[in-house]
Amino acid sequence: MELFVSAIAGDIINRSISFLINKYSTEEDLREKTERLQDLLLRVHMIIEEAEGRYITNSKMLLQLRMLVEVMYQGYHVLDTVKYRTLRRSRTAKEVSSFKGLSFTTFINQRHTTSRISISHVLQTALNNLESVVSNTKEFALLLGGCERMHCSRPYDSYLYIDNFMFSRHMEKQQVINFLLEDNIPPLAPGVLPIIGGIRVGKKTLIAHACNNEKVRRHFTWILHLKGERILRREKEPFIPERTLVVIEFTSDVDDDNWLEFYSSGKQMARGTKIVIVSRIEKLSRFGTVKPVYLKILSQGEYSYLFKVLAFGSTNPEEHPKLATIAHNLAAELGGSFISANMCADMLRKNQNIHFWRSIYEKYRNVVHKNFSRFGGHPKNLMDKDCPIDATSLASSSLGTILRIMPPHDEMDDPKRELPRVTFGDLVTGSAALPKEFEFVAWESRIPPYKRFVNHGTTAHCDEEIFQHQTGSPCKKRQRLDK
């Protein structure tokens, strides 16, 4: 009997020791991988910041820079995910620590063990990607030293100043600048660069920053901004016989013969004249004399990093892990929208209270769920298709009414309308009564081209049949006025 009891006790002790060894070795492994990831991110970020302060004309170096940027933000996203998941796990452990049921406690421990293994795999993948990229940066760093340094002061990644600078897009911006400054081939024919991208991804912002470059401003005597639908009228006027940059925005396709007539008239301008096409329409890339620049939405890693920086301002997120967790989750709900990111971040930055941040997160999450259930899509995707969204959950004083917001438009592209103005802050805090019809000020950009985006908003009584009749076919094509 004593031998039997001794054997059982020995088995229990051995199992306990094995469990403790596995548990703490796994936690130690996670800690080492996290620290290694932080060190690699610091090295990569240092290289990227140095590269963003120089003129890079080598296309392969720009491609490698793009790879560095993508892997870096992916690494930051993984690092944040691990941190905030660990925070939630600690909170869950505290909640179940007083629970007496052995089976439930065992279930929680098993789930955490599985979670640690999953996190370890994600961390290892991010480490492998970073190490692979970093191992090929020696030649890049060496060539970078021979690139001309930009003279402008750019606190590009500063928490305090990032709101005043274009985030990411450095490779695309450098591609545009390189095109604008290089010689035309053939020399007497204007070079044509198409910039193609989806709705509200930053096409106009990109060309505005390129045009604001010191070298570009010195290179061209004139910079003209035209609407594509007006080029036929413009071509009948004499062009300036000086080196000119012509930026044309197209909202619809154009006939090949009309384009050739316009392009031929552009040859009247001085040698070195350039034309930039800005459009969502990929077919217009056929008019380019060089490879187009394609703009895509930011990756989730880039977008999450940007939103956290905008939301915290000059505050260090590391000192507020609970707020950082909310920002991380909210960024995932926003769907990659620049306008929504700036709207929400502006409110969060002004009031860094955890209850306020949590209320903003809950409100927006409810908006997302409501639009998926009602219209079958995320609010950003609905807006991109010129569909209204149900924003009732955003309003603090929406009892008895349903709030509908139309897609944002550039204030300069719309005639003046005498409607009451409501800001996002008014909506969320309930500081202004919502009229039946109003202009919702979505966002005013603080970077070129300094545009204010407004939405047309309406309210209706909570009569499901009436509202359904009003929104029945939620997508209605918005007319754009190009004058």
Side-chain angles (χ1 to χ4, degrees):
M1 182 67 178
E2 291 179 0
L3 185 61
F4 179 71
V5 171
S6 177
I8 292 178
D11 183 63
I12 292 175
I13 292 172
N14 288 334
R15 287 174 180 268
S16 299
I17 292 174
S18 298
F19 171 77
L20 291 172
I21 290 174
N22 290 333
K23 176 182 178 181
Y24 289 108
S25 64
T26 303
E27 289 180 351
E28 182 65 27
D29 180 58
L30 289 179
R31 190 179 300 109
E32 289 179 359
K33 288 181 179 178
T34 301
E35 291 174 355
R36 175 63 177 159
L37 181 60
Q38 288 176 319
D39 291 341
L40 282 172
L41 285 172
L42 181 63
R43 290 175 58 189
V44 171
H45 211 148
M46 178 179 63
I47 296 171
I48 290 173
E49 283 197 359
E50 182 63 26
E52 288 171 345
R54 295 177 180 270
Y55 289 104
I56 302 176
T57 57
N58 187 301
S59 61
K60 301 305 179 184
M61 288 182 67
L62 286 174
L63 183 60
Q64 187 166 5
L65 177 60
R66 178 73 256 180
M67 292 172 58
L68 279 171
V69 169
E70 289 176 353
V71 172
M72 181 187 72
Y73 286 118
Q74 182 188 36
Y76 275 123
H77 188 60
V78 168
L79 188 62
D80 285 347
T81 302
V82 170
K83 285 181 181 178
Y84 307 142
R85 186 178 297 179
T86 302
L87 188 66
R88 290 195 299 270
R89 191 184 67 187
S90 300
R91 192 162 57 243
T92 304
K94 290 180 181 179
E95 292 172 356
V96 302
S97 61
S98 59
F99 189 78
K100 303 301 182 182
L102 179 61
S103 60
F104 184 72
T105 305
T106 303
F107 167 74
I108 292 295
N109 287 335
Q110 290 174 345
R111 191 180 70 173
H112 286 171
T113 300
T114 304
S115 177
R116 281 195 297 270
I117 295 172
S118 176
I119 292 173
S120 178
H121 175 72
V122 171
L123 274 172
Q124 188 60 55
T125 301
L127 279 171
N128 291 342
N129 292 338
L130 272 170
E131 287 172 346
S132 174
V133 172
V134 169
S135 65
N136 297 320
T137 57
K138 291 182 179 179
E139 294 83 0
F140 179 83
L142 182 64
L143 293 171
L144 193 63
C147 297
E148 180 185 354
R149 187 178 294 277
M150 296 181 180
H151 298 296
C152 56
S153 174
R154 302 185 319 110
Y156 189 84
D157 194 43
S158 166
Y159 284 116
L160 189 60
Y161 294 106
I162 189 127
D163 205 24
N164 298 324
F165 290 84
M166 183 177 62
F167 180 79
S168 193
R169 309 297 194 200
H170 180 77
M171 186 190 82
E172 293 87 353
K173 178 182 174 181
Q174 193 65 66
Q175 284 179 305
V176 175
I177 292 175
N178 290 344
F179 163 77
L180 297 178
L181 298 180
E182 68 187 5
D183 294 330
N184 287 335
I185 301 176
L188 297 180
V192 182
L193 171 67
I195 299 179
I196 309 296
I199 185 170
R200 290 185 284 276
V201 297
K203 300 182 295 295
K204 294 179 186 176
T205 301
L206 174 64
I207 189 61
H209 276 257
C211 292
N212 197 44
N213 179 268
E214 180 184 3
K215 283 190 172 184
V216 172
R217 290 200 310 269
R218 290 201 309 260
H219 188 74
F220 293 99
T221 307
W222 298 94
I223 298 179
L224 303 178
H225 292 266
L226 305 176
K227 296 291 185 179
E229 289 72 14
R230 298 179 63 192
I231 64 172
L232 293 180
R233 280 180 282 174
R234 177 72 193 181
E235 70 181 11
K236 297 175 183 177
E237 304 173 14
F239 275 107
I240 305 167
E242 298 181 48
R243 183 185 292 166
T244 306
L245 168 58
V246 183
V247 180
I248 311 174
E249 180 188 359
F250 284 102
T251 58
S252 59
D253 200 1
V254 63
D255 183 80
D256 287 15
D257 293 335
N258 291 338
W259 170 258
L260 287 175
E261 287 184 38
F262 168 78
Y263 183 70
S264 298
S265 66
K267 296 179 181 179
Q268 301 171 14
M269 292 181 279
R271 174 181 292 190
T273 291
K274 297 291 175 67
I275 299 174
V276 175
I277 294 174
V278 179
S279 182
R280 293 186 239 164
I281 304 169
E282 189 171 357
K283 287 174 62 179
L284 290 173
S285 61
R286 69 187 186 274
F287 298 139
T289 61
V290 295
K291 187 177 179 180
V293 171
Y294 291 102
L295 283 189
K296 300 179 181 179
I297 62 172
L298 297 181
S299 67
Q300 184 57 40
E302 289 176 301
Y303 185 78
S304 180
Y305 185 92
L306 170 63
F307 181 71
K308 186 170 70 171
V309 170
L310 291 175
F312 279 94
S314 57
T315 304
N316 185 0
E318 299 297 326
E319 298 176 0
H320 304 274
K322 292 182 179 179
L323 293 181
T325 303
I326 296 173
H328 183 76
N329 294 334
L330 180 54
E333 295 285 351
L334 293 175
S337 167
F338 283 118
I339 295 177
S340 297
N342 280 276
M343 280 195 318
C344 293
D346 186 60
M347 290 290 295
L348 300 179
R349 190 169 57 247
K350 293 175 181 177
N351 185 0
Q352 296 188 350
N353 175 279
I354 188 168
H355 299 294
F356 180 73
W357 281 42
R358 189 172 289 129
S359 71
I360 296 292
Y361 169 64
E362 293 295 338
K363 285 175 181 291
Y364 201 88
R365 188 174 66 167
N366 288 338
V367 168
V368 173
H369 291 174
K370 189 67 174 286
N371 281 277
F372 264 111
S373 63
R374 182 181 290 278
F375 300 130
H378 189 281
K380 178 187 181 301
N381 296 334
L382 293 172
M383 288 284 187
D384 288 349
K385 296 176 182 178
D386 290 318
C387 302
I389 66 167
D390 184 340
T392 309
S393 300
L394 286 178
S396 294
S397 57
S398 60
L399 187 62
T401 61
I402 290 179
L403 173 63
R404 182 174 64 166
I405 300 292
M406 292 298 295
H409 57 269
D410 179 0
E411 194 175 39
M412 293 184 295
D413 290 342
D414 214 34
K416 296 294 182 182
R417 304 186 65 184
E418 297 298 329
L419 289 174
R421 293 233 160 163
V422 177
T423 67
F424 182 67
D426 295 333
L427 191 66
V428 170
T429 60
S431 58
L434 295 179
K436 187 175 181 63
E437 194 174 3
F438 59 93
E439 287 293 331
F440 175 56
V441 182
W443 174 43
E444 185 173 2
S445 175
R446 297 178 180 86
I447 61 177
Y450 304 110
K451 291 187 177 179
R452 181 191 295 233
F453 293 92
V454 295
N455 305 61
H456 182 72
T458 60
T459 57
H461 291 293
C462 269
D463 187 319
E464 198 68 28
E465 292 183 0
I466 293 177
F467 186 72
Q468 190 66 34
H469 174 72
Q470 290 177 342
T471 61
S473 177
C475 295
K476 293 182 179 180
K477 193 65 180 176
R478 174 165 43 96
Q479 291 183 352
R480 300 190 52 154
L481 303 177
D482 296 299
K483 296 184 177 181

